[in-house]
Amino acid sequence: GPTMSTFSSSFFPVRHPADVDRLMAALKTMGADAVELEYRIPAVLWAPVKEALRQNGLAVCSLHNFCPRPPEFKRGSGDLFSLAAPDREERNAAVRLTLQTIERANDLEARAVVLHGGRVDMPPATQDFQDYYHSGRIATDDARGFIARKLAERDRLKPRHLDALCFSLEKLLPAAERHHVRLGLENRYHYHELPGIDDFELLFREFDGAPLGYWHDSGHAHAAETLGLGSAQDLLNRYGSQLVGCHLHDAHGLEDHLPPGCGEIDFPALVPFLQAATLRVIELKAGTTPEAARNGAAHLARVMTRADAHG
């Protein structure tokens, strides 16, 4: 069966030149054969990382936007700039950096770039959601009413942001095509982030035939489901045929990016949607030990292979 030993560099923050060799040593311990590079990697260490990967015979399967982190930023993020910003200046900055990421992906022969689609500008009230959940009141009428109001507010503000995201994709997709890279739009953790569960359909229709697809994040789907914002299975049923790849990690309620096998996620449910070409990237939180990562990968390989055999 397919190996489960592709890891995102998310588990190991690369801050100093010495970290590059430490990252390689950790990946070796984990039995990695490929890696996804993401937005925490600073531009100044890009060349050393690239060279170290080459020397260690590690392929790069994907890049997570915006990668590497531009020199002017202290912290990397998938949300440095919003591709759905109605403000042209911010949107153009997001597009410019994404184009750079696409070029870097081509340079490394990576097949995909993972994108966040930006967000609806509104006070997200994240704390209120978490309080309802942690106090065990997420299923109460009070919480459901609150959530319905927040979703209505989001939907009222959403159209101009979706238009902006379409403008961005219009500029990005020809470049992706030219560079032989697929763009994977990731399902998000928070309800005000784009694309929302129904927005993927609109975008895939709008850009039918372009190198654009769905990137499934198992932990984000679990968190959204925990808050009653939609089901993981629904996302897969609707968009699984357009699956570019997945971020695989476990979750306990709202806490995600845990090694597979430490939480509540039903990984075998993914198996019917995985094609030979689907990228499977284990994306663990910073500070996860190589041992825990390796055990998580082994767990994943076990449960997915079993599910495959019974498919």
Side-chain angles (χ1 to χ4, degrees):
T3 64
M4 288 290 162
S5 46
T6 297
F7 294 90
S8 165
S9 56
S10 58
F11 76 98
F12 196 100
V14 175
R15 298 197 184 98
H16 311 288
D19 292 336
V20 177
D21 290 332
R22 292 189 193 120
L23 170 62
M24 295 305 139
L27 288 166
K28 194 165 275 177
T29 303
M30 287 149 67
D33 49 24
V35 65
E36 174 175 287
L37 299 177
E38 38 70 61
Y39 46 76
R40 293 169 191 85
I41 293 178
V44 301
L45 294 177
W46 185 250
V49 164
K50 221 172 93 166
E51 180 52 27
L53 289 166
R54 197 183 61 74
Q55 285 178 3
N56 286 275
L58 285 167
V60 178
C61 67
S62 44
L63 295 189
H64 191 322
N65 215 29
F66 301 87
C67 181
R69 179 177 91 232
E72 63 271 27
F73 290 94
K74 286 278 177 282
R75 292 186 58 240
S77 161
D79 305 300
L80 274 182
F81 295 109
S82 172
L83 287 166
D87 174 69
R88 188 194 282 142
E89 214 165 305
E90 179 180 353
R91 190 172 68 246
N92 285 348
V95 167
R96 189 182 73 247
L97 287 177
T98 307
L99 287 170
Q100 279 177 17
T101 304
I102 290 168
E103 282 164 23
R104 295 268 163 68
N106 172 272
D107 178 41
L108 289 166
E109 299 180 8
R111 301 216 319 268
V113 169
V114 183
L115 297 183
H116 293 178
R119 59 201 160 270
V120 175
D121 288 326
M122 61 185 285
T126 309
Q127 199 52 56
D128 296 301
F129 273 89
Q130 288 174 351
D131 291 347
Y132 277 122
Y133 170 73
H134 289 301
S135 62
R137 291 178 303 143
I138 195 67
T140 62
D141 289 348
D142 188 30
R144 300 333 296 165
F146 165 76
I147 289 171
R149 286 193 301 279
K150 294 308 287 182
L151 296 182
E153 182 186 352
R154 174 201 67 188
D155 291 342
R156 200 168 57 245
L157 298 168
K158 196 196 290 192
R160 57 198 289 253
H161 291 283
L162 272 180
D163 285 349
L165 180 53
C166 285
F167 280 139
S168 293
L169 288 169
E170 265 161 37
K171 293 184 179 166
L172 296 172
L173 286 164
E177 189 115 42
R178 206 165 54 243
H179 286 99
H180 312 291
V181 170
R182 287 187 77 194
L183 303 184
L185 283 170
E186 186 174 7
N187 61 308
R188 304 295 297 120
Y189 187 94
H190 296 292
Y191 73 96
H192 70 298
E193 295 176 307
L194 297 174
I197 197 161
D198 299 319
D199 306 328
F200 288 101
E201 192 170 321
L202 176 146
L203 294 168
F204 294 152
R205 212 170 38 233
E206 176 79 19
F207 297 105
D208 189 33
L212 181 71
Y214 173 55
W215 191 278
H216 182 76
D217 184 293
S218 61
H220 297 167
H222 184 80
E225 187 163 319
T226 300
L227 295 175
L229 297 169
S231 90
Q233 195 60 45
D234 184 36
L235 273 167
L236 289 165
N237 290 341
R238 289 173 72 175
Y239 308 120
S241 62
Q242 274 126 320
L243 193 62
V244 175
C246 18
H247 280 151
L248 301 168
H249 46 105
D250 221 328
H252 270 301
L254 302 181
E255 190 199 352
D256 61 354
H257 299 285
L258 307 174
C262 301
E264 302 149 356
I265 292 179
D266 173 15
F267 291 106
L270 273 167
V271 169
F273 303 97
L274 301 174
Q275 307 290 322
T278 311
L279 299 173
R280 304 128 205 242
V281 178
I282 301 172
E283 190 188 46
L284 304 173
K285 63 168 58 172
T288 307
T289 66
E291 291 69 32
R294 194 178 59 218
N295 293 342
H299 170 83
L300 206 50
R302 264 196 315 276
V303 300
M304 304 286 256
T305 312
R306 242 193 342 257
D308 221 3
H310 297 145

